Amino acid sequence: MEITLWGVRGSIASPAPDTAFYGGNTACIELRSDAGTLVFFDAGTGLRDAGNSLPDSGECHLFITHAHADHIIGLWFFKPLHLPDWTVHLHLPNWLGYLPDYFFAGGVFPVSFHNLKGNIIQHSIRAHEEVRIGADEMRVTALPTCHPDDCLAYRVDVDAARFFYSGDHEIKTNDDAARAAAREMLTGADIAVVDATYERGDYKEGWGHSTWEDWVDAAQGAGVRNLVLTHHEVGKSDQELDCVAQKLRTHENPDGTGIYLARESARFTPDGPIPDVCLESDWMLRFLDELSRYKDENVTLDRILAKARTVTNADAGTIFLVDDGELVFAYTHNDSLFSVSEAYKYAYTAQRLPISEDSIAGYVAATGMPLNLDDVRQLSPDAPYRFNDKFDKNTGYRTRSMLAVPFLDIEGRVCGVLQLINRLARKTRQSVPFTSDMVYTARLLAREAGSVIAHNALYRRNVYNILKMARVHDPSETGPHAERVGAVAAEIYQRWAEKNTRPQEEIRYEKSRIRLAAMLHDIGKVGISDLILKKRGRLSEEEYRIMRSHTELGASILAEETDGISVLAYDIALHHHQKWNGMGYAGSDDTRRLSGEAIPLAARITSIADVFDALISPRSYKNAWTFSDALTFLRKEADQHFDPELVACMEEIHEMLPLIYQRFPDRTT
Ligand code: C2E
Ligand code: SIN
Ligand code: SIN
Ligand code: FE
Ligand code: FE
């Protein structure tokens, strides 16, 4: 069974900017069984949208709890009532038989009930009665609720699961009998949607509504899997409801019941909400807070892609970034082809696309306009862009629906493109089109995340500029050397952390710090004369003594900063020439020598990445080595110069090394 919430507001519809997230429509819930039996509960204003989502023919059931206007007013504009190919079974509480004739015509509505075009069959239901409907013999049982006017609740058993809905229902605080009755009704519910208009702090006794605290209490011991609190008080803004959601997260809940605030258009199965984010209006703020912890581009892109895919249920996605007037393929996920934990390998793909209207991503970058394509293989012949199926051809993947939105930097310029691929229908796992709601969400997410990306790029440019100012070696070589050492160190770290089963969250954070901190390892060379740095041939003993001081010098520069990265960069700058056997250095003399695990982990990692890069690269004093000679050297020095466990990690990531070197080549001048 699947539940969709079409209206979650109580008393009167309240569409407004500050209710847009949770929604302003009044009570209406859809239940669809696995066999396709379609049932609605209550006919608040949400019923209009529900009807508009339906095809032009079909059959459905509509159960009404009571005749308060917020539970019936949507009847007027329920599409199936007005279409000849629809059959609607209207189930009314037994005391409301008069309602249709009264509510249609009689000066209230232009068309009388018997003139409606739909095939409408009116039924009467009384408390404790059970109705069986549909091919799957769904059982709907009416239950009396506590309410000043008569009102029914409904319990549905279908697909080996139980749904419960109370329209209006007052559990008076401290009324133990009412609480026991509510617990009885909730018993065994996989999904219960209940009237929680109030909190204890604003409870109005006698208005026929409950507080969320009383429902949470009543649900304890009743075996409820998902408790969905609805009928939000009419004046409550999204921000006020977010505060309630915050309280729910920390409220005592020994049964582990999933407790949710109802949000218009949210859907549930007995296993919980689908998708499982987006249930509070501040989800994006909380996501951006998390994102701003990471300064590293790859980690940031990975998080953005993961979040964008979760909120759209996309099977795959790619981020392109603008670089030098082109689009660079920067990060990709594809659940059908590889796991998210492997995705980082593809971050070093050096593929580029021109910013021009003939590719999909190029079009979005060139125009700043989103594209929502139902099927990339059936594009309009008038569209300037074409789908590039090279990736599909190479991998056997089948791209169908695609949503592409621009990343915008702080000044509103396009700085990249977020491409989401194949939104999967939950049950069939087939590719279905992205909804307009998703286009909006993805645009907003990309716009906000774009400034985080731009901010990271700025941070990175600062690192470059520091390195450039240092005029380490040849200035044109500095950036790529630092990038490679950073990338290799980050990958060694990840391998090490995974082997040591560190939590994913910690790995992500540390990896992002190590990459940037390792880039700064040689910053102390700023204080070393070019005469020594660029000397062709071996250094004299005195020159080498001076050279060694670049470690201390770098550390003293970084000691003045205290952000998360500088603290780590300090350790790396000071200790990256230490040796595992204690024969290295951290300064021009031997007084600060360390050995083994006394050397900070990040420095042990960076020394492997640094020496590897020094060997691979031509220097004024030596020729370039081959990858395999360099790896052989590392292996030989394991236990001597290097931590053997980390050399093993380096060997295990060897497939990625050529990719990293292609991604960050030395620019020959
Ligand atoms: P670098 O060029 O970035 O090298 C970093 C480290 O890589 C070196 O630390 C060393 O451990 C390793 N390495 C580099 N080239 C070779 C090599 O040909 N063979 C072997 N076995 N290892 C190598 P080290 O020795 O402490 O040097 C620190 C920095 O001092 C070097 O940074 C470089 O800037 C400079 N340097 C070292 N030796 C010479 C030299 O003979 N001539 C010149 N001009 N500079 C040197
Ligand atoms: C495009 O956006 O059309 C090129 C990238 C891709 O094929 O995924
Ligand atoms: C979604 O709509 O976000 C998920 C796709 C589905 O369940 O059909
Ligand atoms: Fe160094
Ligand atoms: Fe170096």
Side-chain angles (χ1 to χ4, degrees):
M1 92 170 59
E2 189 169 303
I3 300 297
T4 305
L5 308 178
W6 290 101
V8 301
R9 202 51 73 166
S11 309
I12 191 166
S14 59
D18 70 349
T19 58
F21 184 83
Y22 288 96
N25 277 313
T26 62
C28 179
I29 294 163
E30 173 187 318
L31 184 157
R32 206 179 270 268
S33 75
D34 293 349
T37 305
L38 180 60
V39 186
F40 293 98
F41 296 92
D42 273 343
T45 59
L47 185 65
R48 194 181 73 93
D49 286 340
N52 291 345
S53 76
L54 296 171
D56 289 341
S57 64
E59 180 169 359
C60 68
H61 293 257
L62 172 55
F63 287 83
I64 302 295
T65 60
H66 66 305
H68 281 179
D70 53 324
H71 296 253
I72 60 170
I73 204 157
L75 260 183
W76 286 331
F77 295 102
F78 184 41
K79 185 172 97 173
L81 296 183
H82 301 278
L83 294 179
D85 293 330
W86 265 94
T87 299
V88 180
H89 298 268
L90 180 59
H91 300 263
L92 294 165
N94 59 304
W95 63 91
L96 286 182
Y98 72 93
L99 188 76
D101 283 332
Y102 167 80
F103 202 55
F104 288 82
V108 189
F109 193 74
V111 185
S112 68
F113 191 64
H114 68 264
N115 279 336
L116 294 174
K117 294 205 182 71
N119 174 28
I120 305 164
I121 303 165
Q122 193 173 328
H123 304 262
S124 170
I125 185 166
R126 60 183 68 238
H128 304 295
E129 193 180 337
E130 179 190 289
V131 183
R132 285 175 186 254
I133 53 180
D136 43 4
E137 292 268 286
M138 177 188 292
R139 285 182 292 137
V140 182
T141 311
L143 302 164
T145 69
C146 303
H147 193 255
D149 296 323
D150 279 339
C151 181
L152 295 179
Y154 292 102
R155 186 168 67 204
V156 181
D157 289 282
V158 71
D159 302 333
R162 174 170 282 185
F163 169 71
F164 172 77
Y165 170 58
S166 80
D168 281 10
H169 191 143
E170 180 162 5
I171 309 169
K172 291 203 171 104
T173 304
N174 302 326
D175 179 344
D176 289 339
R179 195 180 319 278
R183 179 168 300 131
E184 173 72 27
M185 287 186 205
L186 287 171
T187 299
D190 295 283
I191 306 169
V193 181
V194 298
D195 165 14
T197 302
Y198 303 122
E199 295 191 74
R200 290 242 168 101
D202 56 26
Y203 173 56
K204 293 198 197 84
E205 188 172 325
W207 279 74
H209 308 292
S210 305
T211 69
W212 63 260
E213 290 95 334
D214 284 308
W215 278 114
V216 172
D217 270 9
Q220 295 307 315
V224 178
R225 288 176 71 195
N226 298 283
L227 182 65
V228 183
L229 305 163
T230 190
H231 208 278
H232 303 313
E233 192 176 17
V234 73
K236 269 189 192 151
S237 66
D238 290 338
Q239 208 182 339
E240 288 170 297
L241 289 171
D242 281 343
C243 291
V244 176
Q246 178 68 37
K247 289 178 202 165
L248 292 176
R249 277 199 288 276
T250 52
H251 193 75
E252 202 173 321
N253 178 17
D255 290 5
T257 303
I259 305 175
Y260 308 96
L261 278 190
R263 180 198 171 193
E264 205 171 286
S265 83
R267 289 179 297 152
F268 290 82
T269 69
D271 293 330
I274 356 170
D276 61 355
V277 286
C278 258
L279 284 164
E280 286 141 44
S281 78
D282 62 350
W283 69 268
M284 199 176 299
L285 291 178
R286 283 187 285 121
F287 171 65
L288 292 169
D289 278 350
E290 183 207 318
L291 202 59
S292 62
R293 295 177 64 214
Y294 307 121
K295 293 281 176 293
D296 178 56
E297 187 174 279
N298 282 353
V299 177
T300 310
L301 300 183
D302 181 70
R303 294 294 80 205
I304 294 170
L305 208 46
K307 183 58 83 183
R309 288 177 52 240
T310 315
V311 298
T312 58
N313 208 36
D315 184 47
T318 298
I319 291 178
F320 298 90
L321 292 180
V322 174
D323 178 60
D324 255 350
E326 287 184 311
L327 283 177
V328 189
F329 173 98
Y331 215 84
T332 194
H333 282 176
N334 191 315
D335 280 354
S336 296
L337 297 179
F338 49 86
S339 75
V340 167
S341 60
E342 299 268 289
Y344 65 93
K345 293 186 182 170
Y346 299 84
Y348 301 111
T349 308
Q351 190 187 314
R352 285 175 168 259
L353 268 181
I355 298 183
S356 67
E357 299 195 0
D358 40 305
S359 75
I360 293 168
Y363 179 90
V364 172
T367 62
M369 294 303 293
L371 281 179
N372 184 13
L373 306 168
D374 292 356
D375 186 348
V376 292
R377 287 156 206 286
Q378 294 189 24
L379 296 176
S380 150
D382 304 334
Y385 43 81
R386 271 185 313 282
F387 172 62
N388 173 359
D389 64 355
K390 205 169 81 195
F391 178 80
D392 281 16
K393 280 221 173 85
N394 287 342
T395 58
Y397 189 73
R398 209 163 160 80
T399 304
R400 290 197 88 88
S401 60
M402 187 186 282
L403 168 60
V405 295
F407 285 111
L408 302 180
D409 68 12
I410 303 135
E411 267 130 53
R413 288 174 306 220
V414 176
C415 61
V417 174
L418 168 65
Q419 198 175 57
L420 297 165
I421 295 164
N422 286 345
R423 173 186 163 217
L424 297 183
R426 201 180 49 79
K427 266 189 220 106
T428 61
R429 312 289 298 161
Q430 297 291 315
S431 176
V432 291
F434 292 88
T435 64
S436 55
D437 200 36
M438 290 171 178
V439 179
Y440 177 76
T441 304
R443 285 184 81 174
L444 205 58
L445 182 65
R447 199 185 69 191
E448 295 302 324
S451 29
V452 177
I453 292 175
H455 191 267
N456 288 347
L458 191 65
Y459 192 95
R460 210 177 172 76
R461 257 201 312 282
N462 283 340
V463 171
Y464 271 32
N465 287 339
I466 292 168
L467 291 169
K468 249 190 221 159
M469 271 189 285
R471 282 198 287 123
V472 186
H473 316 302
D474 178 351
S476 67
E477 181 262 349
T478 303
H481 165 66
E483 289 273 20
R484 293 189 302 254
V485 172
V488 173
E491 300 309 335
I492 296 174
Y493 166 76
Q494 177 165 350
R495 188 77 202 104
W496 174 88
E498 278 168 358
K499 284 168 82 168
N500 287 276
T501 59
R502 293 301 164 108
Q504 271 306 319
E505 174 69 5
E506 177 187 319
I507 297 181
R508 250 186 240 123
Y509 182 59
E510 286 302 316
K511 185 180 183 188
S512 84
R513 292 168 72 214
I514 286 185
R515 185 193 308 272
L516 289 163
M519 284 173 71
L520 292 167
H521 68 279
D522 267 346
I523 184 169
K525 285 185 180 170
V526 65
I528 309 294
S529 153
D530 265 14
L531 293 177
I532 297 176
L533 280 178
K534 293 188 178 164
K535 181 173 176 182
R536 302 183 167 276
R538 302 223 61 86
L539 299 178
S540 71
E541 206 168 304
E542 175 57 10
E543 286 166 335
Y544 192 52
R545 200 185 61 76
I546 295 169
M547 187 70 221
R548 283 165 45 144
S549 70
H550 80 277
T551 51
E552 283 173 307
L553 261 171
S556 69
I557 293 166
L558 292 159
E560 293 178 14
E561 305 291 329
T562 52
D563 65 86
I565 289 167
S566 302
V567 169
L568 193 66
Y570 173 94
D571 277 348
I572 293 176
L574 186 57
H575 296 296
H576 73 280
H577 287 289
Q578 299 278 13
K579 292 188 181 179
W580 183 252
N581 63 10
M583 302 304 283
Y585 62 87
S588 48
D589 58 34
D590 295 340
T591 53
R592 299 168 91 165
R593 277 182 166 174
L594 296 176
S595 67
E597 289 183 353
I599 307 165
L601 173 72
R604 278 181 272 146
I605 289 173
T606 305
S607 80
I608 295 178
D610 183 34
V611 171
F612 183 79
D613 195 68
L615 296 176
I616 288 296
S617 309
R619 289 278 197 266
S620 59
Y621 62 96
K622 60 168 271 291
N623 290 325
W625 296 26
T626 64
F627 275 51
S628 76
D629 284 349
L631 280 173
T632 306
F633 176 82
L634 296 182
R635 209 174 300 129
K636 196 173 92 256
E637 286 290 323
D639 231 12
Q640 296 300 314
H641 190 151
F642 308 114
D643 177 346
E645 188 189 353
L646 294 172
V647 173
C649 294
M650 176 71 167
E651 294 197 74
E652 284 159 22
I653 62 157
H654 75 272
E655 286 175 328
M656 293 178 64
L657 298 172
L659 295 174
I660 292 172
Y661 278 76
Q662 272 165 37
R663 178 78 175 80
F664 305 112
D666 281 323
R667 285 171 207 147
T668 43
T669 40

